[in-house]
Amino acid sequence: MYNNLGAQPGVPRPPVNPQPTPFGNAFYGAGSGLIRGGLGAYGEKILGSSSEYVQSNISRYFSDPQYYFQVNDQYVRNKLKVVLLPFLHRGHWTRITEPVGGRLSYKPPIYDINAPDLYIPFMAFGTYVVLAGLSLGLQGKFSPEVLNWLFVKGLFGWFLQVMLLKVTLLPLGSGEAPLLDIMAYAGYTFTGLCLAVLGRIVWRYSYYFLMPWTCLCMGVFLVKTMKRVLFAEVRSYDSSKHHYLLLFIALVQFPHFTWLGNISVNWLF
């Protein structure tokens, strides 16, 4: 507008393109570069430390899910023998470690019989639901709704076993065991249940000695596992408390197995 009007007397004309001073540009460039560089480095440091913290906590509590499915036929057969016949296991109960990335890591199940896996627990859980439905079908009480309740009952029983193992670690100051490890150890419960329910289908009276036997075997397996694996890195060790907790885990298996092994229309009893 001022260019079109021209110079008017008594009216100051504002500068169209003010020339920046070299000192201003220098200070501005240096300041903006310093701010961007400082904030960028600080942000990368924060994000890097937070990502490392998240990854470390995820690996601590959940581990890698693929690790628990690295199994083969030989491992499955040997693992079932250890779970169902723990008295015959002559080897050690500790897990095998190997150096990976500058630190020790546990070998996968395919190379270590004492490593936990989720393949057997998931397969045993599915077999338990199928055998329970077959048992009700032979009694003339089968229905899709009852099968759904048995599925929920099995999941709830698995959850109770996980909570039992998790809670027993807290008094010893070692509640940092990976959750998938505990889920795997708790899921082995269904291997004995499948054997007991199958025995009831084949011969009704076999259930009354198969159920106590599987309870005893599961109790021994969990005691050996908790003692040699899950209690191996406790921060505070108390021998008396240790033994009482192991005895409690073994004794709880009897009512837990009895409840899950009672296949009926009313899933609560």
Side-chain angles (χ1 to χ4, degrees):
M1 185 175 83
Y2 290 102
N3 291 335
N4 295 331
L5 292 177
Q8 299 293 329
V11 179
R13 184 174 181 178
V16 179
N17 294 319
Q19 297 295 328
T21 62
F23 296 101
N25 288 337
F27 285 132
Y28 176 77
S32 60
L34 179 62
I35 294 174
R36 287 196 301 267
L39 291 179
Y42 187 68
E44 291 178 359
K45 183 177 180 181
I46 294 178
L47 294 177
S49 60
S50 62
S51 62
E52 291 177 0
Y53 175 79
V54 172
Q55 291 176 2
S56 62
N57 279 273
I58 289 177
S59 61
R60 176 185 299 176
Y61 294 105
F62 293 97
S63 299
D64 182 12
Q66 296 180 356
Y67 168 90
Y68 300 90
F69 293 94
Q70 299 182 35
V71 301
N72 55 12
D73 295 339
Q74 182 180 2
Y75 168 83
V76 172
R77 288 193 301 267
N78 294 333
K79 192 68 172 186
L80 289 176
K81 292 178 184 178
V82 173
V83 175
L84 298 177
L85 299 170
F87 306 100
L88 302 180
H89 183 54
R90 300 304 180 186
H92 59 83
W93 289 84
T94 57
R95 296 170 66 177
I96 303 176
T97 58
E98 60 180 352
V100 176
R103 65 178 185 176
L104 292 179
S105 178
Y106 291 117
K107 285 190 174 183
I110 193 173
Y111 301 115
D112 184 11
I113 189 61
N114 295 318
D117 73 282
L118 286 173
Y119 175 80
I120 293 178
F122 278 123
M123 295 298 294
F125 176 78
T127 305
Y128 162 77
V129 175
V130 172
L131 290 176
L134 179 60
S135 177
L136 289 178
L138 295 176
Q139 301 174 23
K141 301 178 181 179
F142 177 80
S143 66
E145 291 77 12
V146 173
L147 192 63
N148 292 336
W149 281 116
L150 288 173
F151 180 82
V152 175
K153 178 180 179 179
L155 283 181
F156 187 65
W158 196 344
F159 171 77
L160 290 179
Q161 189 80 298
V162 170
M163 293 304 299
L164 170 67
L165 300 181
K166 190 70 175 177
V167 169
T168 52
L169 293 175
L170 297 178
L172 296 177
S174 178
E176 299 179 356
L179 179 60
L180 294 183
D181 279 17
I182 300 179
M183 285 184 59
Y185 290 125
Y188 292 129
T189 301
F190 295 99
T191 57
L193 282 172
C194 290
L195 182 62
V197 175
L198 180 61
R200 169 180 280 181
I201 294 174
V202 176
W203 184 41
R204 179 179 178 181
Y205 296 100
S206 65
Y207 174 83
Y208 296 103
F209 65 84
L210 282 177
M211 179 59 71
W213 171 258
T214 54
C215 289
L216 179 61
C217 290
M218 189 62 193
V220 172
F221 171 77
L222 287 179
V223 166
K224 292 289 187 179
T225 300
M226 297 287 287
K227 185 176 181 180
R228 300 298 182 185
V229 179
L230 297 183
F231 284 177
E233 299 179 355
V234 294
R235 291 190 293 268
S236 60
Y237 182 82
D238 186 349
S239 179
S240 60
K241 184 185 295 185
H242 189 157
H243 292 155
Y244 282 127
L245 288 175
L246 292 176
L247 179 62
F248 175 73
I249 292 173
L251 293 178
V252 168
Q253 300 309 309
F254 288 90
H256 187 250
F257 266 70
T258 303
W259 175 63
L260 287 175
N262 184 22
I263 309 300
S264 61
V265 177
N266 188 358
W267 72 283
L268 290 175
F269 304 101

